[in-house]
Amino acid sequence: QVQLVESGGGLVQPGGSLRLSCVASGNIVSISVMGWYRQAPGKERELVARFISGGRTKYADSVKGRFTISRDNAKNTVYLQMNSLKPEDTAVYYCNADGVRVGAYTYQYWGQGTQVTVSS
């Protein structure tokens, strides 16, 4: 059984910062890719930031220069540092892990989501 547990969401004023964390636990041999997605009310889930092949990163245009994704492979943990937050960043943020090797097979997993609200 593999679980992704996010933390660090909350209420913050515009211009503020938050740091999200996501820890993957269970019978994990390795994880290929980890990243963050978000879903605002009435909208589809969208990519925020993720690691891609070769350790490179990909960001949504709307968060470039404000958000930074990082990863601790030894701890199966991914972080999202969010600075200069805007009201339009308000959403439920989901952690994603893809290419999770459990035994002989690989799977994709999602966290339960953490609410980020940017409001004065």
Side-chain angles (χ1 to χ4, degrees):
Q1 188 77 5
V2 173
Q3 284 188 318
L4 303 184
V5 179
E6 301 110 331
S7 61
L11 173 64
V12 64
Q13 292 186 343
S17 298
L18 284 174
R19 188 189 192 212
L20 305 184
S21 299
C22 171
V23 180
S25 62
N27 295 325
I28 299 170
V29 176
S30 62
I31 302 175
S32 294
V33 176
M34 296 187 78
W36 292 93
Y37 292 73
R38 68 186 180 187
Q39 188 167 18
K43 294 188 177 181
E44 293 187 353
R45 190 173 298 188
E46 63 176 2
L47 170 70
V48 177
R50 71 190 295 258
F51 286 94
I52 56 178
S53 62
R56 295 171 297 162
T57 54
K58 178 179 176 64
Y59 292 91
D61 288 343
S62 59
V63 307
K64 284 181 180 177
R66 300 188 297 122
F67 291 10
T68 303
I69 189 171
S70 60
R71 178 175 174 177
D72 186 334
N73 290 332
K75 297 181 179 179
N76 287 333
T77 300
V78 65
Y79 305 96
L80 185 68
Q81 178 66 43
M82 305 186 293
N83 298 328
S84 302
L85 282 161
K86 304 176 181 179
E88 50 264 44
D89 294 318
T90 296
V92 178
Y93 284 69
Y94 296 91
C95 176
N96 173 266
D98 202 358
V100 181
R101 181 166 293 279
V102 180
Y105 301 96
T106 59
Y107 303 90
Q108 180 178 189
Y109 294 93
W110 290 91
Q112 82 285 354
T114 185
Q115 177 71 46
V116 172
T117 302
V118 184
S119 175
S120 54

